[in-house]
Amino acid sequence: AQRVTQPEKLLSVFKGAPVELKCNYSYSGSPELFWYVQYSRQRLQLLLRHISRESIKGFTADLNKGETSFHLKKPFAQEEDSAMYYCALRRGGGATNKLIFGTGTLLAVQP
Amino acid sequence: GAVVSQHPSWVICKSGTSVKIECRSLDFQATTMFWYRQFPKQSLMLMATSNEGSKATYEQGVEKDKFLINHASLTLSTLTVTSAHPEDSSFYICSARGTSGDTYNEQFFGPGTRLTVL
């Protein structure tokens, strides 16, 4: 079965400090991995996906198949990064490719 | 673009009544929509996958007779919580997956509906 694990419920850092939000997954096939973000009182929105290999708002995430991880990183945290972050997995292709979410990590960036 | 709306944003009802929640993709077509449930300080739990013109696919442990899903058009899916009870109180979120262009195969989320059953 597919599973996404985010070990930290809360991550508190100071502004300017590096951030790493951990995500591990279990899936035997080739997954698609995503990071979603939910700012206070806003809807869930896509932050980035592994296949795009992009940097959004200074965040990057690399898929490590050997460690089955997809950690989200940012070198210098900003206060506006404070939000709930969800890692999600989707089976590649097919009509049943639904998103499986991790439990989420609340990132709090202190001034 | 790619906006998903939900109506109502919140609803309070008496135990035993039924409540309908609408999910609309405003500027794109979605053959597939998803319904999630989120408990306080917990993750999104997928309840069912709604396919336009066909029966919804429910996740294990979700009662299909309790949570009726209808996806009658490419822009509208509804979730009806029948004979609601206090344990059904939750935050219900829908998501629509685009079928073409910039929205292809990407899921866009609605703002959620807060259901409180008294």
Side-chain angles (χ1 to χ4, degrees):
Chain A
Q2 304 92 53
R3 184 183 300 170
V4 179
T5 304
Q6 293 179 250
E8 303 142 328
K9 285 191 174 181
L10 170 66
L11 182 63
S12 181
V13 302
F14 285 104
K15 176 183 175 181
V19 171
E20 182 178 52
L21 300 170
K22 291 184 167 53
C23 172
N24 287 90
Y25 67 91
S26 61
Y27 178 57
S28 57
S30 295
E32 296 178 70
L33 274 298
F34 304 82
W35 275 100
Y36 283 83
V37 60
Q38 187 171 30
Y39 299 101
S40 180
R41 300 185 180 186
Q42 294 188 29
R43 69 187 68 196
L44 201 65
Q45 57 185 283
L46 178 66
L47 180 61
L48 52 78
R49 69 191 84 189
H50 90 270
I51 57 175
S52 300
R53 302 184 67 83
E54 57 201 344
S55 174
I56 302 295
K57 298 183 179 182
F59 285 97
T60 59
D62 291 318
L63 177 60
N64 186 323
K65 292 187 177 181
E67 296 182 357
T68 59
S69 68
F70 188 57
H71 303 326
L72 183 68
K73 299 177 183 179
K74 184 169 182 176
F76 308 103
Q78 302 299 315
E79 290 181 66
E80 54 265 31
D81 295 329
S82 296
M84 195 73 178
Y85 290 81
Y86 293 96
C87 183
L89 175 152
R90 185 168 71 187
R91 294 185 298 183
T96 57
N97 49 350
K98 55 193 178 186
L99 279 172
I100 306 297
F101 286 89
T103 50
T105 298
L106 178 62
L107 174 63
V109 181
Q110 310 295 334
Chain B
V3 177
V4 176
S5 70
Q6 280 184 244
H7 178 79
S9 55
W10 60 269
V11 57
I12 301 173
C13 69
K14 292 182 178 180
S15 184
T17 61
S18 294
V19 175
K20 180 186 285 188
I21 302 170
E22 292 185 349
C23 176
R24 294 180 184 273
S25 56
L26 298 185
D27 48 2
F28 67 101
Q29 294 184 334
T31 54
T32 304
M33 291 186 177
F34 304 87
W35 287 96
Y36 295 85
R37 185 172 178 176
Q38 186 176 34
F39 292 100
K41 299 183 179 180
Q42 294 190 31
S43 187
L44 286 77
M45 182 194 76
L46 180 64
M47 299 174 64
T49 302
S50 167
N51 296 295
E52 187 266 337
S54 63
K55 291 183 179 180
T57 303
Y58 290 82
E59 294 300 302
Q60 190 173 13
V62 178
E63 300 176 58
K64 60 181 180 181
D65 295 329
K66 173 75 172 176
F67 299 99
L68 299 179
I69 291 173
N70 184 279
H71 193 158
S73 79
L74 289 173
T75 58
L76 173 64
S77 175
T78 60
L79 169 68
T80 301
V81 183
T82 62
S83 187
H85 290 283
E87 57 265 31
D88 298 324
S89 298
S90 191
F91 195 56
Y92 292 87
I93 300 172
C94 79
S95 172
R97 186 165 71 201
T99 58
S100 63
D102 292 342
T103 66
Y104 177 73
N105 214 23
E106 184 168 333
Q107 280 187 235
F108 299 90
F109 289 81
T113 296
R114 172 74 59 192
L115 170 63
T116 302
V117 185
L118 302 176

